[in-house]
Amino acid sequence: MKVFTAEQIRQWDRFTISNEPVSSIQLMERAAEALAGWISESCKNHKKMAIFCGSGNNGGDGLALARILYIKGFDADIFVQNPKGKISDDASVNLKRLRDFSGISVREFKEAAQYNFDDRTVIIDALFGTGLSRPLEGVSKKVVEMLNQKDCIKISVDIPSGLPADTIFEKEPVIFKADYTLSFQCWKKSFLHPETGKYAGKVVILDIGLHPEYLESEAAEDFVIGEKLINRIFKPRENFSHKGTYGKVTITGGSYGKIGAAVLATRSALKTGAGLTFTFAPKCGYEILQTLCPEAMFLEGGNEQIEDFKQESDTVYAIGPGLGTHEKTEKGLLKFLKEYTEPLVLDADALNIISKDHKNLKLVPQKSLITPHPKEFERLFGSTQNSFERLKLAREKAKEFNIYIVLKDHHTQVVTPEGKVFYNINGNAGLAKGGSGDILTGILASLLAQGYSEEDTCILGVWLHGRAADLAAEKYSKESMLPTDVINTFGDVFEELNRLNRIRL
C-alpha cells in the first residue's frame, strides 16, 4: 500500500471528484458512512457520542457522522467553536441538514466543561484533518488538552487533531491522543513513527472509494507492507524439488557465553526453508549447536571466538549473532569483507565491529542487507534528532553504499538503495527481548539463499518475523513469549501463506 503525503491525498480527492464524477459533498457522505459503519459495529455498548467538530472539512465529516449515528440509534452531541461562525461550504451543508433532527444538540466548546462524560461516552475528534501545518493554539488547544484528560474511548477522524501527516513538529505540541484513528484510504507517514504514531492508537484504514486510477498512477516513495504485496512475493515450495533447490546458508556467529544467539539464527534459517544450513562458530559451541540444531552442520572457526573466517562462493553468509568483538574476531571479519564480494546479511556484533571505523562501511559488499537497531544505526552513520531524520539519513546511506538497511523499530523500515521505504506494521512488543534480532537474521539469510531478490527478502522477512510474533503473543502473551516461541510458529505462518495461495489459484 502506498503512503501518500497530505498534498497527494488532497489531489486524490480532487481527481476522484473530477473523474468519477462525484461531488465533494457526496464524497464527504461516503466518508461519514464508512466512519459510522465502523463505530456502530465496534462501539455497540457506548451509545453516547460527543463529536467535536472544526470549521473545515474534517469538521464536516463529523457533522455528517453525527446525523448517521443518530439515525442508527446513538445519542449524538456536537461541539463547535461557534455555531454561527464561518465554516467550509460542505461543512455548512451538513450543519443545515442537522436542523431536521431535533434530537441532535449543537453546543459550543465552552459547554464541554459541564458535559457529563460518563462510561458510555465515546469522544470523537473531528477538529482538524491533514491540512493542519502548525501546532494547535488558542481555543482548539485548550479543548484538546481538556479531552485528553477524559477517561473515555477516543476516536479521531482521519488523523488526530494537532498531528501533522508527513513530519514532526520541533517542540512537543498538544495533540489529541486517540485510542483509534479511522483514517481514509491510506496510511499517513506520521502514524508509522514512534514520536507521532503514539497519538494515533490503533489505526483502521477505511475505504471511501477514492478513484483507483490515481492510486495506480501516482508515484510514492513510502509503502506499508500488506497482504497483497506479501502474496505477490511469496513463492510456494515446488513438489519436484530437492535441498539444492533452496540454497545454502552459513550462519557465522557465537562466542563464549553467546552461543545462544547463533542457535536462534540457525534454527530460524532452518525453519524458514533453507535447503542446507551450516553454522560457523567457535569450538566451545560445538556440543550446544549439534544438540539444539541437529539438522545444521557445524564448522569450527576458533576456540572461544571466531578468528579465521572461511570464504565459500556457493553460500549466503549471515554474520553477527553473538559474534563478540574480540580483537582477533575483528581482524578476521575485516579481512573477510575485503575479499568477499557477494551480498550477505550483517547484524549485531558484525555491525559493531564495522562501526569502529566508518571507512569499514566501504567493505560491505554491494546489495548486502544490514539490520541495525536505532543505537547500532547511530554508531554506524551518526546521530539524528528523531526517527524522521534517521530515516532520511538511512535513505542517503542505502543509496551511497548500495545496500539494504532493515532499520529495526516498532514499525521496522526496509530502506532500499533506490530510496524506497517499506514499513512493516505487524509484530508486537513481545519482540522487545534479546534474541529477536538473531531470528530475523536467520530468516533473511534463508530467504536470500532460496532465490528471493534482496528487496523481496527484506520485505517478506520482516513480515514473517512480525506475523510469527503476533501468533506467539496470542498463545503465550507479549510478556511471556520467547524468541524460541516465535521460531516455533513459523510453520503456522507458512500454512497461512500457502492456504491463501491455494485460494488465489
Side-chain angles (χ1 to χ4, degrees), residues 300-453:
E300 183 180 317
N303 288 320
E304 294 191 348
Q305 62 272 328
I306 298 176
E307 300 173 8
D308 181 23
F309 288 73
K310 294 180 172 60
Q311 184 177 144
E312 296 182 21
S313 59
D314 64 341
T315 190
V316 171
Y317 284 95
I319 306 176
L323 186 67
T325 56
H326 190 277
E327 182 180 347
K328 291 183 179 179
T329 304
E330 178 181 337
K331 183 178 178 181
L333 174 61
L334 296 179
K335 180 176 182 296
F336 173 88
L337 291 176
K338 287 176 183 177
E339 299 170 353
Y340 194 74
T341 58
E342 296 297 316
L344 44 69
V345 183
L346 295 169
D347 181 33
D349 282 331
L351 299 179
N352 291 330
I353 288 172
I354 291 169
S355 69
K356 290 183 178 181
D357 187 336
H358 288 179
K359 294 178 182 177
N360 293 335
L361 284 163
K362 296 180 179 179
L363 302 178
V364 177
Q366 294 195 13
K367 301 293 185 180
S368 289
L369 285 54
I370 69 169
T371 63
H373 57 58
K375 288 304 292 184
E376 289 167 342
F377 181 88
E378 182 178 325
R379 288 193 285 267
L380 284 166
F381 301 116
S383 61
T384 53
Q385 293 298 312
N386 54 64
S387 66
F388 287 82
E389 289 187 9
R390 184 169 65 228
L391 182 58
K392 182 175 182 288
L393 181 59
R395 272 194 165 106
E396 295 170 0
K397 295 304 180 180
K399 181 177 181 180
E400 178 183 349
F401 295 106
N402 195 20
I403 57 175
Y404 293 81
I405 301 176
V406 179
L407 185 53
K408 293 181 286 195
D409 208 334
H410 177 66
H411 292 310
T412 291
Q413 299 130 51
V414 172
V415 187
T416 76
E418 297 78 26
K420 293 185 290 186
V421 174
F422 296 86
Y423 291 88
N424 189 51
I425 58 172
N426 63 13
N428 59 77
L431 286 172
K433 291 186 173 78
S436 296
D438 304 318
I439 296 172
L440 180 59
T441 297
I443 297 172
L444 296 175
S446 173
L447 297 177
L448 204 57
Q450 291 173 63
Y452 288 93
S453 70

Side-chain angles (χ1 to χ4, degrees), residues 260-281:
V263 169
L264 291 171
T266 300
R267 290 190 63 200
S268 181
L270 288 164
K271 292 283 282 186
T272 51
L276 287 167
T277 302
F278 289 77
T279 308
F280 186 65

Side-chain angles (χ1 to χ4, degrees), residues 74-335:
F74 291 85
D75 295 330
D77 294 317
I78 295 169
F79 294 85
V80 297
Q81 183 169 349
N82 181 0
K84 297 181 180 180
K86 185 177 180 180
I87 59 176
S88 74
D89 291 343
D90 289 342
S92 179
V93 170
N94 275 302
L95 184 59
K96 290 174 183 176
R97 287 176 177 175
L98 292 176
R99 293 173 181 168
D100 296 329
F101 299 88
S102 59
I104 302 177
S105 64
V106 179
R107 313 180 187 202
E108 294 186 40
F109 285 161
K110 61 185 179 182
E111 296 180 64
Q114 287 77 43
Y115 186 77
N116 179 26
F117 292 94
D118 58 26
D119 57 7
R120 296 173 65 248
T121 305
V122 174
I123 296 172
I124 298 177
D125 156 38
L127 292 167
F128 294 95
T130 57
L132 187 71
S133 58
R134 64 184 187 279
L136 294 180
E137 54 189 21
V139 174
S140 298
K141 178 181 177 181
K142 291 179 180 178
V143 167
V144 169
E145 287 177 327
M146 181 270 293
L147 294 177
N148 281 343
Q149 298 301 314
K150 301 301 180 182
D151 188 19
C152 299
I153 293 175
K154 300 182 184 71
I155 297 174
S156 280
V157 172
D158 201 25
I159 191 169
S161 290
L163 182 67
D166 309 319
T167 187
I168 184 173
F169 291 131
E170 289 185 9
K171 295 182 179 179
E172 188 79 8
V174 171
I175 297 171
F176 184 83
K177 196 164 192 323
D179 298 300
Y180 299 91
T181 295
L182 309 185
S183 197
F184 302 137
Q185 214 67 47
C186 68
W187 285 74
K188 279 66 175 176
K189 188 171 182 175
S190 58
F191 298 166
L192 297 160
H193 286 257
E195 301 94 338
T196 48
K198 63 186 179 181
Y199 294 102
K202 179 176 175 57
V203 175
V204 178
I205 304 300
L206 300 178
D207 186 347
I208 61 170
L210 295 184
H211 205 293
E213 185 180 324
Y214 183 91
L215 177 63
E216 292 298 322
S217 61
E218 181 68 10
E221 291 185 336
D222 298 327
F223 305 83
V224 166
I225 299 172
E227 188 176 283
K228 185 176 179 181
L229 177 58
I230 293 302
N231 287 338
R232 179 187 65 76
I233 292 172
F234 175 63
K235 296 181 287 190
R237 219 156 172 92
E238 296 288 342
N239 290 331
F240 293 94
S241 59
H242 52 83
K243 61 187 178 184
T245 306
Y246 301 107
K248 177 181 172 183
V249 169
T250 302
I251 302 295
T252 303
S255 55
Y256 185 81
K258 298 180 181 179
I259 297 300
V263 169
L264 291 171
T266 300
R267 290 190 63 200
S268 181
L270 288 164
K271 292 283 282 186
T272 51
L276 287 167
T277 302
F278 289 77
T279 308
F280 186 65
K283 185 177 180 180
C284 64
Y286 171 75
E287 292 183 355
I288 298 171
L289 282 156
Q290 288 285 268
T291 301
L292 296 179
C293 308
E295 300 89 349
M297 287 158 276
F298 182 87
L299 300 172
E300 183 180 317
N303 288 320
E304 294 191 348
Q305 62 272 328
I306 298 176
E307 300 173 8
D308 181 23
F309 288 73
K310 294 180 172 60
Q311 184 177 144
E312 296 182 21
S313 59
D314 64 341
T315 190
V316 171
Y317 284 95
I319 306 176
L323 186 67
T325 56
H326 190 277
E327 182 180 347
K328 291 183 179 179
T329 304
E330 178 181 337
K331 183 178 178 181
L333 174 61
L334 296 179
K335 180 176 182 296

